[in-house]
Amino acid sequence: MNEMSADTDRLPTLGGRYRLLRVIGSGGMALVYLAHDLTLDRRVAIKVLREPFSREPGFRERFQHEARAAANLSHPNIVTVYDFGYDEDTASLYLVMEYIPGTDLKSILKERGTLPVEEAVRLLIQAARGIGYAHRMGLIHCDVKPHNMLVTPDQTLKVTDFGIARAMASIQPDENSDVVWGSPLYFSPEQAAGRPPSPASDVYSLGVVLYEMLTGQPPFYASDPVELAHLHREEPPRPPRTLNPSIPVSLESIVLKLLEKEPARRYRTAQQLALVLEDWLQKAQTLNNEVTQTPSYPQPWTIPSSPPPPIEPLPVTPDSEDALEVDWITILLGLLAVLAVGGLIPFWLWIWLTFNPPR
């Protein structure tokens, strides 16, 4: 298969159904091809395991078991597994998945270095939702890393490669001990110690991914896998704010909780982590809105620095002086009017008595 991959004209059709078109990704254990499903007439992505893994009987059996479990996962943040099989002509195991146009998160981090805080949190929430769903279905990823997270142009994140790391546990430890339980840069302390992983192990790996998105580097690095395993098991991570001061203190606390050495001190499942990050993001957005919103109320009154100028009296004009004098003529005319009306009362009384004499 590896010889054929160099010449696209000679790419085979796997299982008599999947016509390989071109290589769209590669890793230490597999090549990923864009392919055409001849039966359903659609594009798919096919992960073809490299020859050493395909030849191992124990791995083939475990791979098929894990592929069946992964095919039962249906979630918006998980790459759907359609099919799997073994091609006799090329002696290759393969896994058929939905084709996701986009870029893996590791490539994005290599290009951009760090991501803005809210963008990083939104992406990790999606990863935690997908992995949390798998935890509820009884499946542990075991190899959570940015290479296994595909980001579409509309910022949808989908997790892929469920169960492949567990399948590799069937390989003899002396053959490939450094990848039995995941990738050394991202695996948990218990995986570094060779113990079986749990949902809390995936949570730790999500913490490593979030740390890298926020700071541009994983919390631990060493060229020697043994030394790297020691760092995961024994050494505390460097607080991420020392590398990126723009990280809020409250978010740093969440990251450090994810990277606790003891599984019981982390969040129990990825779903719990998703809920914690959703709550944090909502509070952060509310706080940002309050800070940037223009106040609709008047500014508070302040004491003037100097006393106000004295109030000058209104100027007095000749007209205003005449208005203040008593108008005696008007008063006299008013009295005469009252007397005139009052004098008519006896006259009208005499007329009434004349026509209505008392009896």
Side-chain angles (χ1 to χ4, degrees):
M1 186 67 187
N2 295 341
E3 296 175 356
M4 295 180 186
S5 63
D7 186 354
T8 56
D9 294 333
R10 298 174 57 198
L11 290 177
T13 298
L14 298 181
R17 174 175 176 177
Y18 303 105
R19 180 184 296 159
L20 303 184
L21 302 177
R22 58 184 172 88
V23 177
I24 57 175
S26 63
M29 62 176 295
L31 291 172
V32 181
Y33 291 86
L34 175 64
H36 183 73
D37 183 344
L38 300 176
T39 301
L40 297 179
D41 191 23
R42 63 180 177 181
R43 288 194 165 189
V44 294
I46 298 186
K47 182 181 288 286
V48 180
L49 280 298
R50 294 189 185 275
E51 188 177 351
F53 300 103
S54 298
R55 282 201 315 262
E56 175 64 38
F59 177 78
R60 286 168 54 179
E61 181 179 351
R62 188 61 182 267
F63 174 83
Q64 292 178 0
H65 173 77
E66 296 294 339
R68 288 191 184 95
N72 290 325
L73 298 178
S74 178
H75 190 275
N77 298 117
I78 294 177
V79 175
T80 303
V81 173
Y82 294 142
D83 193 10
F84 62 91
Y86 178 77
D87 186 76
E88 296 288 348
D89 294 336
T90 60
S92 298
L93 278 171
Y94 61 89
L95 189 69
V96 183
M97 304 168 289
E98 66 172 318
Y99 171 64
I100 305 297
T103 309
D104 67 271
L105 181 58
K106 187 63 177 181
S107 298
I108 294 175
L109 293 176
K110 286 181 178 179
E111 178 182 350
R112 297 175 57 184
T114 61
L115 302 183
V117 169
E118 289 195 5
E119 180 182 351
V121 171
R122 288 193 187 97
L123 289 175
L124 201 85
I125 286 174
Q126 296 182 70
R129 286 173 181 167
I131 295 172
Y133 166 80
H135 289 168
R136 295 195 301 273
M137 298 294 289
L139 189 61
I140 304 169
H141 192 289
C142 306
D143 194 21
V144 175
K145 56 184 178 181
H147 313 67
N148 291 336
M149 299 177 184
L150 302 178
V151 182
T152 67
D154 65 354
Q155 291 292 290
T156 298
L157 183 145
K158 289 177 174 278
V159 183
T160 187
D161 280 4
F162 276 89
I164 290 183
R166 288 184 67 92
M168 293 185 68
S170 60
I171 299 176
Q172 295 299 323
D174 56 353
E175 290 186 28
N176 211 348
S177 61
D178 60 324
V179 291
V180 169
W181 289 111
S183 302
L185 276 177
Y186 302 94
F187 61 14
S188 65
E190 55 272 24
Q191 289 171 281
R195 299 196 301 271
S198 68
S201 305
D202 285 348
V203 169
Y204 180 95
S205 299
L206 285 169
V208 177
V209 174
L210 180 57
Y211 189 106
E212 184 175 4
M213 284 195 287
L214 295 173
T215 67
Q217 63 185 56
F220 304 109
Y221 178 79
S223 57
D224 180 14
V226 176
E227 174 62 20
L228 189 54
H230 168 77
L231 294 175
H232 280 292
R233 293 197 313 268
E234 304 294 340
E235 296 298 323
R238 182 178 177 182
R241 278 174 53 83
T242 62
L243 299 171
N244 182 2
S246 68
I247 301 172
V249 175
S250 55
L251 182 59
E252 180 182 63
S253 299
I254 294 174
V255 175
L256 293 178
K257 183 177 177 66
L258 294 174
L259 299 178
E260 288 282 356
K261 304 300 182 187
E262 289 297 325
R265 296 178 64 87
R266 306 172 205 143
Y267 300 107
R268 288 173 289 124
T269 67
Q271 179 62 28
Q272 184 184 16
L273 169 61
L275 295 175
V276 169
L277 289 177
E278 287 169 2
D279 181 67
W280 181 90
L281 184 60
Q282 182 179 9
K283 291 178 180 177
Q285 291 173 336
T286 301
L287 181 61
N288 290 338
N289 291 337
E290 292 176 353
V291 170
T292 58
Q293 184 178 5
T294 303
S296 59
Y297 46 83
Q299 296 297 321
W301 181 79
T302 57
I303 300 176
S305 57
S306 59
I311 300 176
E312 298 180 0
L314 294 174
V316 179
T317 63
D319 293 338
S320 62
E321 290 180 351
D322 294 341
L324 295 176
E325 295 180 359
V326 178
D327 192 348
W328 294 108
I329 296 176
T330 303
I331 294 175
L332 180 59
L333 291 175
L335 289 175
L336 290 174
V338 171
L339 291 174
V341 174
L344 291 175
I345 294 175
F347 174 74
W348 290 110
L349 182 59
W350 176 77
I351 292 176
W352 188 83
L353 290 175
T354 301
F355 292 97
N356 299 281
R359 297 177 182 178

